[in-house]
Amino acid sequence: MSTVPTARGSVPAAELGPTLMHEHIFVLSSELQQNYQLDWDEEERVADAVARLQAAYQRGVRTVVDVTALGQGRFIPRIARIAAQSPVNILVATGVYAYREMPPYFFYQGPGTLFGGPDPMTEMFIRDITEGIGDTGVRAAVIKAAHEDPELSPATEEILRASARAHLATGVPITTHTNSVVGNGNQVLDLLVAEGVDPSRVIIGHSGDTEDVDYLLRLIDGGCYLGMDRFGMDPIASLEQRIAIVAELVRRGHADRMVLSHDTCCFIDYLAADRRPELFPRWEYTHIHDDVIPALRRLGVTDADVHTMLVENPRRIFAGGAASATAPAQGLVTAGPDAP
């Protein structure tokens, strides 16, 4: 793509700037919220999201990729409203987020199902990308799929195949949730490549949860990008572990195969609001600029390397281009709440 759709219109891929490649605005249990509005006040949550995105902008973030898919409470009219008030580009996703059970809407329809008919999942993904999500006119810029278990479930396999079909029809990249602790990223990559997907159009998410360098190098050898994208999720892996594995892969010459992010959100109803500061005190859109980049510098990661991971790699992923020489790290804001 020469331009990339955002929640408030298209922008040139070259102008995405420092980009957080795997975030959420809200992660919600939709039916619970519709019936009970658990810890939810619409105006308060929207205002809080705008403020959090403004804080990220002040640190230097210019684009946030909201990978919230069906199954995670995606509601695009709300995201469009937030985007209209925020200086940060918000890119949105299509996809189905499920580990083991296919949502009934897709389970009963499509080839080989009880009711048969055309494949509704692939059709929906393509429509989200080419026409817009629902009647919002907001087009998806990325396809999201998830694989959590040691082995692919039938549901996960079908979602990945539908994601591949939609990718081949539209050219948008595929980003994934994987479990690097059990090392299942290769299963995702192998299936997508077997379906005809160029591996350079795939991000294997949550790769920074592991210290297994050999596993990560096998993924890199497969041609994909690694999502080092859970900075701030300290109960899963500490900051020290996460920066050490990024620095090691940079040392081995792989800055051009990694993207950085937090997998955070402004509000998530999976977690009681009063527990978040206790369990995830640094889980904010600002953590990479405030804490991670300075820590990486101390381990020998250069500003050019950071620019590659935060700016050049996201631009290539969305533009569909191959890796190339890194551009000078001009204009990269790397720390400080008062930065322009």
Side-chain angles (χ1 to χ4, degrees):
M1 308 175 189
S2 58
T3 62
V4 183
T6 82
R8 59 166 183 261
S10 295
V11 299
E15 297 179 10
L16 290 174
T19 300
L20 302 178
M21 284 292 290
H22 193 118
E23 306 289 1
H24 302 271
I25 306 301
F26 301 116
V27 178
L28 302 171
S29 307
S30 295
E31 289 183 281
L32 286 170
Q33 291 298 342
Q34 288 167 2
N35 285 279
Y36 305 109
Q37 295 187 322
L38 303 173
D39 295 318
W40 187 265
D41 178 284
E42 182 77 12
E43 297 307 315
E44 178 182 332
R45 294 299 176 197
V46 167
D48 179 66
V50 172
R52 289 172 186 267
L53 290 165
Q54 179 66 47
Y57 185 86
Q58 290 173 348
R59 303 313 200 276
V61 174
R62 294 296 176 262
T63 300
V64 166
V65 183
D66 180 357
V67 298
T68 309
L70 296 174
Q72 296 181 293
R74 187 190 70 176
F75 184 55
I76 296 302
R78 182 184 293 127
I79 300 304
R81 182 184 173 200
I82 291 166
Q85 301 176 61
S86 167
V88 175
N89 300 313
I90 303 176
L91 278 56
V92 304
T94 189
V96 172
Y97 188 88
Y99 297 157
R100 304 169 193 98
E101 299 293 332
M102 187 71 78
Y105 181 88
F106 301 109
F107 182 84
Y108 288 106
Q109 300 184 72
T113 66
L114 179 62
F115 300 134
D119 172 11
M121 190 183 304
T122 303
E123 288 184 356
M124 182 179 290
F125 294 173
I126 293 172
R127 188 167 58 250
D128 285 355
I129 294 162
T130 59
E131 300 177 20
I133 297 168
D135 60 0
T136 65
V138 176
R139 294 186 293 123
V142 65
I143 303 166
K144 166 74 172 298
H147 177 31
E148 176 68 14
D149 298 326
E151 301 296 334
L152 288 165
S153 69
T156 297
E157 187 170 338
E158 181 52 35
I159 293 167
L160 286 167
R161 294 191 193 282
S163 299
R165 291 190 290 267
H167 161 80
L168 294 173
T170 63
V172 304
I174 298 173
T175 192
T176 64
H177 165 109
T178 66
N179 184 340
S180 61
V181 176
V182 301
N184 65 13
N186 292 106
Q187 297 173 21
V188 171
L189 187 61
D190 290 348
L191 186 152
L192 292 173
V193 169
E195 291 289 312
V197 177
D198 179 341
S200 72
R201 311 292 285 126
V202 177
I203 305 166
I204 298 298
H206 311 335
S207 294
D209 289 355
T210 183
E211 297 176 284
D212 187 344
V213 175
D214 291 338
Y215 165 72
L216 298 176
L217 290 175
R218 287 194 299 274
L219 288 170
I220 289 172
D221 288 344
C224 66
Y225 286 87
L226 302 182
M228 315 305 276
D229 52 23
R230 276 182 160 176
F231 283 103
M233 294 188 76
D234 298 342
I236 295 175
S238 68
L239 173 60
E240 292 72 23
Q241 176 182 322
R242 293 184 187 280
I243 61 171
I245 195 65
V246 170
E248 176 61 19
L249 291 173
V250 168
R251 186 186 68 79
R252 294 180 184 231
H254 299 304
D256 64 344
R257 306 314 295 175
M258 290 185 285
V259 293
L260 307 179
S261 211
H262 308 90
D263 195 21
T264 192
C265 50
C266 301
F267 177 77
I268 179 170
D269 64 12
Y270 302 178
L271 173 69
D274 60 354
R275 296 295 311 281
R276 178 167 172 164
E278 169 196 348
L279 296 174
F280 302 100
R282 297 182 289 200
W283 200 35
E284 303 289 344
Y285 301 133
T286 54
H287 178 41
I288 284 174
H289 282 78
D290 285 352
D291 305 309
V292 174
I293 292 173
L296 287 171
R297 285 187 183 131
R298 291 192 290 271
L299 294 182
V301 176
T302 67
D303 284 350
D305 295 324
V306 172
H307 188 265
T308 295
M309 294 184 284
L310 276 179
V311 179
E312 289 299 311
N313 293 344
R315 178 191 62 76
R316 280 195 295 268
I317 289 167
F318 286 109
S324 60
T326 302
Q330 296 176 349
L332 174 62
V333 182
T334 54
D338 299 321

